[in-house]
């Protein structure tokens, strides 16, 4: 059964031999493949940001209650608690932002570069401190995890592209 012609393309010479016709079935197959690919990319971004948000809460929330322990285990004692609690408060706010992005990564795509910077800023600072001998190896692991999340955020940003406008409105 022949399908109806949906659209036609012409080559530069516009000769009859260079005309290609595409059926509605072929166009629908292409649209379906694009939609499937975009759904996979959105799922990747959702999972990445959701995992990052939960991981961050697990790591950040106990810090609000650990100032005395930090003072004892990592002398000298914290002399500027506003920086300590400011760090944990800001980090906590970013975990909320990760959850927001995970709900609708295509719509929140513009926030992803800031999330990449948030992760890389900490990872780079930790790497510099580790290489200069100012922190122990176990602390460097947290910087490496943030580096991994920063890379995954960048991958999610690239995978989402600019999105398909019709797809973004429908989903």
């Amino acid at each position: 059964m022949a399908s109806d012609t949906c659209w036609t393309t012409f080559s530069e010479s516009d000769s009859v031999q260079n005309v290609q016709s595409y059926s509605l079935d072929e166009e629908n197959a292409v649209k379906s493949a694009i939609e499937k690919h975009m759904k996979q990319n959105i799922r990747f971004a959702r999972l990445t940001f959701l995992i990052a948000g939960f991981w961050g809460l697990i790591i950040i929330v106990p810090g609000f209650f650990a100032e005395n322990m930090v003072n004892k285990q990592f002398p000298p004692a914290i002399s500027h608690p506003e920086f300590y609690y400011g760090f944990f408060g800001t980090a906590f706010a970013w975990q909320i932002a990760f959850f927001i992005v995970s709900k609708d990564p295509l719509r929140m795509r513009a926030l992803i570069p800031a999330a990449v910077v948030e992760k890389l800023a900490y990872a780079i600072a930790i790497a510099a401190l580790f290489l200069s001998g100012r922190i122990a190896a176990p602390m460097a692991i947290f910087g490496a995890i943030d580096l991994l999340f920063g890379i995954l955020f960048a991958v999610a940003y690239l995978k989402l592209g600019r999105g398909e406008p019709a797809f973004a409105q429908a989903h």
Side-chain angles (χ1 to χ4, degrees), residues 19-66:
V19 174
Q20 291 182 335
S21 295
Y22 297 92
S23 70
L24 286 174
D25 292 339
E26 291 169 326
E27 182 179 0
N28 288 338
V30 169
K31 284 181 181 179
S32 177
I34 290 170
E35 185 173 305
K36 181 180 178 186
H37 183 70
M38 184 55 80
K39 283 183 178 181
Q40 289 172 340
N41 292 343
I42 290 171
R43 185 171 189 272
F44 172 80
R46 279 186 175 149
L47 283 173
T48 300
F49 278 91
L50 190 64
I51 291 167
F54 279 119
W55 167 256
L57 288 182
I58 290 167
I59 298 303
I60 297 300
V61 170
F64 283 110
F65 310 100

Side-chain angles (χ1 to χ4, degrees), residues 51-139:
I51 291 167
F54 279 119
W55 167 256
L57 288 182
I58 290 167
I59 298 303
I60 297 300
V61 170
F64 283 110
F65 310 100
E67 181 185 2
N68 289 333
M69 182 195 69
V70 169
N71 285 337
K72 290 175 186 170
Q73 289 185 351
F74 303 101
I78 295 168
S79 60
H80 292 280
E82 66 273 20
F83 294 136
Y84 177 84
Y85 289 105
F87 166 79
F88 281 101
T90 302
F92 181 80
W94 271 106
Q95 306 324 299
I96 302 304
F98 299 157
F99 287 128
I100 292 169
V101 172
S102 78
K103 286 293 186 188
D104 192 348
L106 199 56
R107 198 174 106 216
M108 295 295 159
R109 184 176 181 267
L111 187 58
I112 296 175
V116 172
V117 170
E118 184 269 344
K119 290 299 181 190
L120 295 183
Y122 185 73
I124 291 168
I126 292 297
L129 291 170
F130 178 72
L131 292 173
S132 66
R134 295 178 63 193
I135 62 168
M139 289 301 296

